Amino acid sequence: MNDTGQQVDLVDGEIVVGIAGAALMAALTGVLAYLALPYPWSPEPITLQILGIFLVGVFLGAKWGGLSMVLYLVAGGVGAPVFAHGQAGIGHLFGSSAGYLFSFPIAVVVIGLLAYGHTGMGDPSSLSHSRLIGSLVAGAAIIYALGIVGLMVVLELSLVEALIGGAVVFFPGEAAKIAAAVAIAQSGHVVDWPPQGIGQ
Amino acid sequence: MLTYEPGTTVGHRLDARAKLGFQIAFAVAAFAHTTMSGMAVLSVLALAVLATARVSPLRALWSIRVPLVLLAFAPLLAAATLGPPWLDIGDGLVTALASYRVVLILLVSTAYVVTTAPRESRAAIQWAVPGRPGVVLGIGVSLIFRFLPVLQSDLRRIRDAIAARGGENASLRRRAELIGILGVSRTFRRANRLALAMQARCFSWNPTLPPLSATRLDVPVVALSSMLLLSPLL
């Protein structure tokens, strides 16, 4: 062990809990992004990456969810295999999926703000059905809009071409993922989080 | 899928900060010089980078096969037109070059992934982002590396349990719902225990990190990165 002669500067309990939740939910998003489920309407198996993004927004709220997604991008950038299909590397932040990747933190913050009206965490099972669906649809719209813009910029495609290349490849199953995210949020079966209760 | 592999290649001996800076400089140069000659020069450079990390180009290409599908498909998409002449070769070529530069950028980043230990990356992140935000980023990234395999095995068990109960025949929505409820619950339980353990071990704002040390080996990398960064001005 190195003795650096410094005083230890402890981190507050609430922040420790927030960081642990944000990092582990980012890792869960990475695992879901690696998962490929066969889907009859899609030419290739779809991943649950976007479902992970929805869950981060709904369960962690704008502030900690936003941090979670920033951690996701940084970790993937330095080599954790968390991007879709287990991809990793800073190159993806400049590549064809860059628009989608950079949209994740923005989408999560928007989902959190629209669902709870503040930056903290809330109780997802207390939300009205329409408010929850509205916030998730807004999040999905941001992800696809920025994803398509990313394709246009990086691959120099026209809007129509980017729509065909981007949305058609990724879009199948999106409604199913939103429906699943709503069911998960309102199931009441998810462990309480944060441990000290809502109200941060 | 390539991940960090311990080794003693030139790529392994370089400083993580120099490697990160080089990748950004390479991407800037690739976007600035998307021409035939520019791509030729950068292709040679990308192959040299893979050689320093002893990663064969074929292995690197195989690791990025998923994004490659879209990158190969994009030029065809750009070339196709609705109505005569049906194929616009010029449009296709522009996108082909744009796709190719992304392939080069991805190849260079595989060299970083293979040669850089997560703890070195963490130290580089905290060097680049000083103060508390850097500590939060550093610890968060370390935790993601640490817990990714753990959560993967959690999810595998969840999927096995669903399959054992005939859940494989359920709709996509139902499967996603079950995976989500069980996955989030398990993740939160782990996060609870982790937060408690971190506090019990005096998790602090000023942890001791592995020392980063730039060596003479890094000088050419930094010089080359500077040249690439300045190349758009040429």
Side-chain angles (χ1 to χ4, degrees), chain A residues 16-36:
Chain A
V16 176
V17 167
I19 293 173
L24 263 59
M25 282 300 274
L28 179 68
T29 306
V31 175
L32 291 173
Y34 185 62
L35 196 76

PDB file of all heavy atoms in Angstrom, chain A residues 16-36:
ATOM      1  N   VAL A  16     -22.634   7.980  -2.535  1.00  0.00           N
ATOM      2  CA  VAL A  16     -22.141   6.606  -2.736  1.00  0.00           C
ATOM      3  C   VAL A  16     -23.260   5.748  -3.326  1.00  0.00           C
ATOM      4  O   VAL A  16     -23.060   5.016  -4.303  1.00  0.00           O
ATOM      5  CB  VAL A  16     -21.660   5.979  -1.399  1.00  0.00           C
ATOM      6  CG1 VAL A  16     -21.248   4.534  -1.621  1.00  0.00           C
ATOM      7  CG2 VAL A  16     -20.508   6.773  -0.825  1.00  0.00           C
ATOM      8  N   VAL A  17     -24.452   5.856  -2.753  1.00  0.00           N
ATOM      9  CA  VAL A  17     -25.599   5.078  -3.235  1.00  0.00           C
ATOM     10  C   VAL A  17     -25.909   5.450  -4.687  1.00  0.00           C
ATOM     11  O   VAL A  17     -26.130   4.577  -5.534  1.00  0.00           O
ATOM     12  CB  VAL A  17     -26.833   5.337  -2.328  1.00  0.00           C
ATOM     13  CG1 VAL A  17     -28.102   4.801  -2.977  1.00  0.00           C
ATOM     14  CG2 VAL A  17     -26.613   4.679  -0.980  1.00  0.00           C
ATOM     15  N   GLY A  18     -25.887   6.756  -4.981  1.00  0.00           N
ATOM     16  CA  GLY A  18     -26.173   7.221  -6.344  1.00  0.00           C
ATOM     17  C   GLY A  18     -25.172   6.678  -7.350  1.00  0.00           C
ATOM     18  O   GLY A  18     -25.548   6.186  -8.419  1.00  0.00           O
ATOM     19  N   ILE A  19     -23.882   6.738  -6.997  1.00  0.00           N
ATOM     20  CA  ILE A  19     -22.838   6.256  -7.920  1.00  0.00           C
ATOM     21  C   ILE A  19     -22.968   4.748  -8.131  1.00  0.00           C
ATOM     22  O   ILE A  19     -22.884   4.253  -9.260  1.00  0.00           O
ATOM     23  CB  ILE A  19     -21.422   6.599  -7.387  1.00  0.00           C
ATOM     24  CG1 ILE A  19     -21.206   8.119  -7.386  1.00  0.00           C
ATOM     25  CG2 ILE A  19     -20.346   5.918  -8.225  1.00  0.00           C
ATOM     26  CD1 ILE A  19     -19.901   8.537  -6.723  1.00  0.00           C
ATOM     27  N   ALA A  20     -23.202   4.009  -7.022  1.00  0.00           N
ATOM     28  CA  ALA A  20     -23.322   2.553  -7.143  1.00  0.00           C
ATOM     29  C   ALA A  20     -24.496   2.205  -8.056  1.00  0.00           C
ATOM     30  O   ALA A  20     -24.379   1.354  -8.954  1.00  0.00           O
ATOM     31  CB  ALA A  20     -23.512   1.917  -5.766  1.00  0.00           C
ATOM     32  N   GLY A  21     -25.637   2.872  -7.840  1.00  0.00           N
ATOM     33  CA  GLY A  21     -26.823   2.591  -8.670  1.00  0.00           C
ATOM     34  C   GLY A  21     -26.580   2.969 -10.115  1.00  0.00           C
ATOM     35  O   GLY A  21     -26.923   2.219 -11.033  1.00  0.00           O
ATOM     36  N   ALA A  22     -25.973   4.157 -10.339  1.00  0.00           N
ATOM     37  CA  ALA A  22     -25.739   4.633 -11.710  1.00  0.00           C
ATOM     38  C   ALA A  22     -24.795   3.681 -12.453  1.00  0.00           C
ATOM     39  O   ALA A  22     -25.044   3.317 -13.606  1.00  0.00           O
ATOM     40  CB  ALA A  22     -25.165   6.043 -11.688  1.00  0.00           C
ATOM     41  N   ALA A  23     -23.702   3.270 -11.787  1.00  0.00           N
ATOM     42  CA  ALA A  23     -22.711   2.409 -12.453  1.00  0.00           C
ATOM     43  C   ALA A  23     -23.311   1.039 -12.757  1.00  0.00           C
ATOM     44  O   ALA A  23     -23.143   0.500 -13.858  1.00  0.00           O
ATOM     45  CB  ALA A  23     -21.465   2.251 -11.582  1.00  0.00           C
ATOM     46  N   LEU A  24     -24.044   0.466 -11.786  1.00  0.00           N
ATOM     47  CA  LEU A  24     -24.576  -0.879 -12.010  1.00  0.00           C
ATOM     48  C   LEU A  24     -25.709  -0.887 -13.042  1.00  0.00           C
ATOM     49  O   LEU A  24     -25.847  -1.834 -13.819  1.00  0.00           O
ATOM     50  CB  LEU A  24     -25.028  -1.524 -10.690  1.00  0.00           C
ATOM     51  CG  LEU A  24     -23.942  -2.444 -10.122  1.00  0.00           C
ATOM     52  CD1 LEU A  24     -22.660  -1.701  -9.874  1.00  0.00           C
ATOM     53  CD2 LEU A  24     -24.408  -3.156  -8.876  1.00  0.00           C
ATOM     54  N   MET A  25     -26.518   0.183 -13.064  1.00  0.00           N
ATOM     55  CA  MET A  25     -27.562   0.250 -14.099  1.00  0.00           C
ATOM     56  C   MET A  25     -26.936   0.451 -15.486  1.00  0.00           C
ATOM     57  O   MET A  25     -27.460  -0.048 -16.480  1.00  0.00           O
ATOM     58  CB  MET A  25     -28.558   1.366 -13.796  1.00  0.00           C
ATOM     59  CG  MET A  25     -29.572   0.998 -12.723  1.00  0.00           C
ATOM     60  SD  MET A  25     -30.598  -0.438 -13.134  1.00  0.00           S
ATOM     61  CE  MET A  25     -31.908   0.330 -14.074  1.00  0.00           C
ATOM     62  N   ALA A  26     -25.813   1.171 -15.549  1.00  0.00           N
ATOM     63  CA  ALA A  26     -25.101   1.302 -16.828  1.00  0.00           C
ATOM     64  C   ALA A  26     -24.588  -0.067 -17.268  1.00  0.00           C
ATOM     65  O   ALA A  26     -24.671  -0.430 -18.447  1.00  0.00           O
ATOM     66  CB  ALA A  26     -23.948   2.292 -16.694  1.00  0.00           C
ATOM     67  N   ALA A  27     -24.055  -0.844 -16.290  1.00  0.00           N
ATOM     68  CA  ALA A  27     -23.570  -2.185 -16.621  1.00  0.00           C
ATOM     69  C   ALA A  27     -24.726  -3.070 -17.078  1.00  0.00           C
ATOM     70  O   ALA A  27     -24.582  -3.849 -18.026  1.00  0.00           O
ATOM     71  CB  ALA A  27     -22.875  -2.810 -15.410  1.00  0.00           C
ATOM     72  N   LEU A  28     -25.895  -2.932 -16.441  1.00  0.00           N
ATOM     73  CA  LEU A  28     -27.063  -3.725 -16.846  1.00  0.00           C
ATOM     74  C   LEU A  28     -27.467  -3.365 -18.286  1.00  0.00           C
ATOM     75  O   LEU A  28     -27.802  -4.241 -19.086  1.00  0.00           O
ATOM     76  CB  LEU A  28     -28.246  -3.489 -15.896  1.00  0.00           C
ATOM     77  CG  LEU A  28     -29.525  -4.254 -16.254  1.00  0.00           C
ATOM     78  CD1 LEU A  28     -29.348  -5.756 -16.049  1.00  0.00           C
ATOM     79  CD2 LEU A  28     -30.723  -3.774 -15.436  1.00  0.00           C
ATOM     80  N   THR A  29     -27.407  -2.062 -18.606  1.00  0.00           N
ATOM     81  CA  THR A  29     -27.706  -1.642 -19.984  1.00  0.00           C
ATOM     82  C   THR A  29     -26.747  -2.322 -20.958  1.00  0.00           C
ATOM     83  O   THR A  29     -27.140  -2.773 -22.029  1.00  0.00           O
ATOM     84  CB  THR A  29     -27.596  -0.111 -20.108  1.00  0.00           C
ATOM     85  OG1 THR A  29     -28.435   0.489 -19.124  1.00  0.00           O
ATOM     86  CG2 THR A  29     -28.032   0.366 -21.484  1.00  0.00           C
ATOM     87  N   GLY A  30     -25.467  -2.409 -20.551  1.00  0.00           N
ATOM     88  CA  GLY A  30     -24.469  -3.084 -21.380  1.00  0.00           C
ATOM     89  C   GLY A  30     -24.797  -4.554 -21.582  1.00  0.00           C
ATOM     90  O   GLY A  30     -24.648  -5.099 -22.678  1.00  0.00           O
ATOM     91  N   VAL A  31     -25.256  -5.207 -20.527  1.00  0.00           N
ATOM     92  CA  VAL A  31     -25.619  -6.626 -20.632  1.00  0.00           C
ATOM     93  C   VAL A  31     -26.842  -6.784 -21.543  1.00  0.00           C
ATOM     94  O   VAL A  31     -26.907  -7.686 -22.376  1.00  0.00           O
ATOM     95  CB  VAL A  31     -25.903  -7.220 -19.232  1.00  0.00           C
ATOM     96  CG1 VAL A  31     -26.394  -8.646 -19.346  1.00  0.00           C
ATOM     97  CG2 VAL A  31     -24.646  -7.177 -18.377  1.00  0.00           C
ATOM     98  N   LEU A  32     -27.830  -5.891 -21.378  1.00  0.00           N
ATOM     99  CA  LEU A  32     -29.028  -5.961 -22.221  1.00  0.00           C
ATOM    100  C   LEU A  32     -28.684  -5.683 -23.687  1.00  0.00           C
ATOM    101  O   LEU A  32     -29.312  -6.216 -24.599  1.00  0.00           O
ATOM    102  CB  LEU A  32     -30.091  -4.968 -21.737  1.00  0.00           C
ATOM    103  CG  LEU A  32     -30.756  -5.289 -20.394  1.00  0.00           C
ATOM    104  CD1 LEU A  32     -31.663  -4.153 -19.955  1.00  0.00           C
ATOM    105  CD2 LEU A  32     -31.547  -6.590 -20.462  1.00  0.00           C
ATOM    106  N   ALA A  33     -27.663  -4.833 -23.899  1.00  0.00           N
ATOM    107  CA  ALA A  33     -27.258  -4.509 -25.278  1.00  0.00           C
ATOM    108  C   ALA A  33     -26.565  -5.693 -25.945  1.00  0.00           C
ATOM    109  O   ALA A  33     -26.471  -5.766 -27.163  1.00  0.00           O
ATOM    110  CB  ALA A  33     -26.316  -3.302 -25.272  1.00  0.00           C
ATOM    111  N   TYR A  34     -26.063  -6.615 -25.137  1.00  0.00           N
ATOM    112  CA  TYR A  34     -25.360  -7.784 -25.653  1.00  0.00           C
ATOM    113  C   TYR A  34     -26.332  -8.931 -25.933  1.00  0.00           C
ATOM    114  O   TYR A  34     -26.042  -9.871 -26.666  1.00  0.00           O
ATOM    115  CB  TYR A  34     -24.318  -8.216 -24.630  1.00  0.00           C
ATOM    116  CG  TYR A  34     -23.437  -9.344 -25.084  1.00  0.00           C
ATOM    117  CD1 TYR A  34     -22.612  -9.198 -26.200  1.00  0.00           C
ATOM    118  CD2 TYR A  34     -23.435 -10.546 -24.408  1.00  0.00           C
ATOM    119  CE1 TYR A  34     -21.810 -10.235 -26.625  1.00  0.00           C
ATOM    120  CE2 TYR A  34     -22.624 -11.587 -24.827  1.00  0.00           C
ATOM    121  CZ  TYR A  34     -21.822 -11.427 -25.936  1.00  0.00           C
ATOM    122  OH  TYR A  34     -21.032 -12.455 -26.354  1.00  0.00           O
ATOM    123  N   LEU A  35     -27.509  -8.816 -25.336  1.00  0.00           N
ATOM    124  CA  LEU A  35     -28.509  -9.866 -25.434  1.00  0.00           C
ATOM    125  C   LEU A  35     -29.197  -9.784 -26.794  1.00  0.00           C
ATOM    126  O   LEU A  35     -29.691  -8.728 -27.164  1.00  0.00           O
ATOM    127  CB  LEU A  35     -29.534  -9.600 -24.326  1.00  0.00           C
ATOM    128  CG  LEU A  35     -30.485 -10.693 -23.943  1.00  0.00           C
ATOM    129  CD1 LEU A  35     -29.744 -11.712 -23.099  1.00  0.00           C
ATOM    130  CD2 LEU A  35     -31.599 -10.083 -23.099  1.00  0.00           C
ATOM    131  N   ALA A  36     -29.232 -10.861 -27.530  1.00  0.00           N
ATOM    132  CA  ALA A  36     -29.910 -10.826 -28.826  1.00  0.00           C
ATOM    133  C   ALA A  36     -31.127 -11.739 -28.770  1.00  0.00           C
ATOM    134  O   ALA A  36     -31.004 -12.928 -28.502  1.00  0.00           O
ATOM    135  CB  ALA A  36     -28.962 -11.274 -29.918  1.00  0.00           C
TER     136      ALA A  36
END
